[in-house]
Amino acid sequence: MSIPEMSFDEYLIAQGLIFRAEMSFAGIAAADFAYSGITTGADELVILQRAYSSSEAALTVELFEATFTGGTDPRLLNRRLSNTSAKPATIKQGVTPGALGNAITGATYRAVVGTGQASVAVPGDASRIYLKANTSYVVRHTNNGANAATINNGF
């Protein structure tokens, strides 16, 4: 008999400690923004992996330590579907940000296409980000394309 090996992430999933948030922003005009917000609880929050897509050819995603108001709940699920533990943070999409200041991190993603309509898809940025406890953050998604875009974000 052998004991199956389990990665640390798999262990955390089994404990019901990993969540996934999925959001979609439709009709974001060229050069316009979509915002989401995260407020951490008493413990720091680790963002394990992020995925982005845009129906246009370029997308910039930036993270700010900033307050926000409003917004709606995104689809949020515990990766162990049978677990009903409390959410580790308040996560909202379509928020109104406060003063943003300088971005903590950011990247611009561009599609490469020879002909036809280009779109951006980043299936997984796995560099971990550790968010401080009891802190609010804003994620700004900028449509750098020429037309209105549908922008998706999952983390």
Side-chain angles (χ1 to χ4, degrees):
M1 182 169 127
S2 66
I3 298 173
E5 290 187 29
M6 181 183 289
S7 73
F8 188 59
D9 287 355
E10 290 169 326
Y11 170 78
L12 294 174
I13 291 169
Q15 299 301 310
L17 298 174
I18 294 185
F19 290 75
R20 177 154 177 89
E22 299 172 344
M23 22 196 121
S24 184
F25 307 93
I28 305 302
D32 206 355
F33 311 105
Y35 296 97
S36 53
I38 304 166
T39 301
T40 58
D43 296 315
E44 70 180 2
L45 181 72
V46 182
I47 305 295
L48 299 174
Q49 185 178 44
R50 295 158 317 282
Y52 312 107
S53 69
S54 172
S55 59
E56 275 295 295
L59 171 67
T60 298
V61 182
E62 299 165 289
L63 176 68
F64 299 87
E65 185 176 320
T67 60
F68 62 88
T69 57
T72 59
D73 292 334
R75 180 179 13 213
L76 183 65
L77 61 97
N78 188 299
R79 295 261 316 263
R80 182 174 185 170
L81 298 179
S82 63
N83 191 309
T84 57
S85 296
K87 299 171 188 171
T90 299
I91 301 171
K92 299 287 184 181
Q93 67 180 30
V95 302
T96 301
L100 293 180
N102 295 322
I104 295 169
T105 186
T108 298
Y109 304 99
R110 298 184 189 284
V112 177
V113 65
T115 60
Q117 176 66 30
S119 60
V120 173
V122 181
D125 178 350
S127 58
R128 294 179 182 206
I129 298 176
Y130 290 75
L131 303 181
K132 297 185 287 189
N134 300 310
T135 305
S136 290
Y137 295 90
V138 169
V139 179
R140 178 171 66 189
H141 309 83
T142 306
N143 175 10
N144 296 326
N147 301 298
T150 296
I151 296 172
N152 297 298
N153 178 16
F155 65 90

